[in-house]
Amino acid sequence: MNRIYLDNAATTQAAPEVIEAIQTCFRETYGNPSSLHSFGLEARGVIESARRNIAGFINASSDELFFTGSGTESNNTAIKGIVYSLRGKGDHIVTTAIEHHAIHEPLHFLETQGLKVTYLRNDDNGQVDPDDLKKAITGETILVSVMHGNNEIGTLEPIKELGAICRERGVYFHTDAIQTFGHIPIDVREMNIDLLSASAHKLYGPKGVGLLYIRKGVQMTPLLHGGGQEKRLRASTQDTPGIAGFSRAVELAASEMEKEAGRQSRLRDKLIAALLEAVPESTLNGHPKLRLPNNVNMSFACVEGEAALLNLDMEGIAVATGSACTSTSLEPSHVLTACGMTHELSHGSLRLSLGRTTTEEEIDQVIKVLPPIIAKLRAMSPLYKKQGAK
Amino acid sequence: MNRIYLDNAATTQAAPEVIEAIQTCFRETYGNPSSLHSFGLEARGVIESARRNIAGFINASSDELFFTGSGTESNNTAIKGIVYSLRGKGDHIVTTAIEHHAIHEPLHFLETQGLKVTYLRNDDNGQVDPDDLKKAITGETILVSVMHGNNEIGTLEPIKELGAICRERGVYFHTDAIQTFGHIPIDVREMNIDLLSASAHKLYGPKGVGLLYIRKGVQMTPLLHGGGQEKRLRASTQDTPGIAGFSRAVELAASEMEKEAGRQSRLRDKLIAALLEAVPESTLNGHPKLRLPNNVNMSFACVEGEAALLNLDMEGIAVATGSACTSTSLEPSHVLTACGMTHELSHGSLRLSLGRTTTEEEIDQVIKVLPPIIAKLRAMSPLYKKQGAK
Amino acid sequence: MWDYTDKVREHFWNPRNVGEVENPDGIGQVGSLACGDALRLTFKLDENKRIKEAKFKSFGCASAIAAASVLTEMVVGLTIEQAEKITNQDIAAALGGLPEQKMHCSVLGEQVLEKAIACYRGRPAGAKEEKMICECFSVTDREIEKAVRENR
Ligand SMILES: Cc1ncc(COP(=O)(O)O)c(C=O)c1O
Ligand SMILES: Cc1ncc(COP(=O)(O)O)c(C=O)c1O
Ligand code: FES
Ligand code: FES
């Protein structure tokens, strides 16, 4: 069976060119980038050229770019780094209700240490209101962190506008761009961004490599203390092959992004329209227009997400769900809940995230396979019959 | 020119089998290990089989093994994790003067937050005295951290004995085994170890993958907060290919370690003896017997390390002076200083670290090339001339 | 996350006895506070007061479906007194085990059986109870929402 991978928001398959670059680096450039000898020099060359390349991609300068070990590490470094370095100045952070756990969890940890956090409300489409941000910032606020694109419902936030507010109020602005980096354009200067996180494996690069953009002049405490790598901001022997792979992934993104965003948006909209049409009591989650080009997130009333996911898996189709039953905490997705969704609907949510290799035939196959699965599960559901009888 | 790589303590070249395993995983097992569908299941399978394999290698059980993004991250997680979780119980840590920066720097950071640290003295061979540890532990002590093998001078510490003291006193014991893991046998139970750090790239595995062993029952606060990966102890999408590569590296180590340790020790001792003989006023640093099988560290009076290193590099021979990580700072190695070495001697120290691919011919070549380089540099040195005239 | 035994998979993909027994002697429906799911069980007795037929409906994950499915097989041929003794551990064991995070799905099975038996003992089953059952679930539903709110 030809399998259909529609979970590119969870992770992507590394591009063949990326695997090639990693492989070459493993074979040829294996020195420690901190070493003085020629093996070290060569490794440093690979890393610095990657840094220049990736910095250019988001209009940063290369000394503003720091490599980390994951998107989560970038987020943790940004949040804790600013808090530890500015604790004298204030103890308040503003964020939104729908951030990734890699933002919420470090904040919860810091809350146990006395930090105060305002979680801005998102509207039913998942967007925050810039006016709410204006009201939330106080004299104690040291950081605002708002994600660029949401990983579950795909909604894009008005980063440039939020960044401008922060700039005006003299507060640092971080954005978790892990879902958007390499998928839609980012210009850190134009968008008023002080700190930005990205993760290579979301754009056909390797897992275990992230980056943190830190605007020149922003001071922060490191999270990983040790050797002098990454200008002392992130100790650890750099992952030269991983960084080379990340760089190659960015090159590919730079050349294909526009075309791919167009192509995937079209397939996305086709899939959404077809499912809304074919499945009664189905709804689209997230913003109808301002959303990631590859994100489809829908709720099917009275259907449990894990059951739908596993049925699709049987048919060779890989998707994700925000159902409570699949989260280890047994709570439904905090994102869907924050967008005002009832427990019941969020239970039956599925996320289908497209990728570079997704074809029209694959989308057609999903359109064919998914509706009968929903019908079958509804036939089993004690809730649906009642509603049907209404 | 055939280059000779004698900087395996800084990093190793990944073994061909490791590169192969990584490559295969990139191609075939690209799902996110946290995903429920079959792509996720397969990735989870790779990770859990790696975990079992590596745990078995050090006589741990697989639920005691946590993957991280580097050796530095493992050390930071261990130290900060114990401090944050036990802060209520005490505020004192014991370590040694010759630990890696990835131990000292997190401690310095915590010292700014009120932690108290005792740095045990090392003797001139680099060893700590278990009696000193006994005296240093107080009612406030929450953690002892002593490295297994030193990265600069290769000295091995009496881990089992130190661990027994900690066990008896009810204090957690961490060891940075980044230089020994995969090179000499480790049994966490027999050696009374509660926490242990390792890093894959030191044993012919990939860069950017580390591990932390945490004995069952030891509670600690995570360093990377976010998703539920690694039993919530280390959030981040796991680096499946990197972990697969680490596992392969451990398999190779398990089968070759004994033979290789013997072979490398023999070459090591040959190199040491030949250089001591051929170069006047040269001394061996570190313990003459209880040292890493692959470590040669020598001082050549009145010679500046970097000059010697670059001269060797010209001849295609890659070595280190001090540690790679300290090479960006202009201070002499804190390890050599702690072992009572004068400024002058530590300046002229070279570390030559052997590896799996090191041949007898390569060692012979070094024995041929190094003495004339030292002689040449001494001829240029205003200090040596004087001494020579004595 | 969790991985399922072959038995769980098998019951999930080919669930036995889905639906509603006609003219049931017992009806039970429960909702899980932990995850917000619902499970409904109906059964009918034969002339010897042994369970002749049992069917389920589930709005729940794979474990909940598999647990209910295996339960409908386990109870057939048992007397009410025997059926009453079935615990969630028995259900999980019949499935070759469940992941720790999913044990509560088997608790749903135990509870629904209890409810259905209570219903049988309390009064003859009929359309009225069915309605009441649903109202009862919406109470549970509200409780769930409350629990979620409190947990925030
Ligand atoms: C928005 C967002 N933030 C953070 C992360 C965490 O990234 P990583 O798993 O690479 O650490 C992810 C993906 O998992 C994400 O989608
Ligand atoms: C003893 C020791 N500890 C820690 C480290 C840090 O490991 P990594 O660079 O993989 O983070 C190293 C090597 O650099 C080391 O030799
Ligand atoms: S029914 Fe929700 S976890 Fe099983
Ligand atoms: S759950 Fe009790 S009757 Fe509905």
Side-chain angles (χ1 to χ4, degrees), chain A residues 325 330, chain C residues 35 37 60-61 64 102 104-105:
Chain A
C325 299
L330 289 174
Chain C
C35 59
D37 289 310
C61 70
K102 292 279 181 178
H104 70 277
C105 311

Side-chain angles (χ1 to χ4, degrees), chain B residues 44-56:
Chain B
R44 213 142 61 238
V46 166
I47 288 175
E48 295 315 318
S49 101
R51 204 188 303 278
R52 277 191 302 277
N53 173 36
I54 301 177

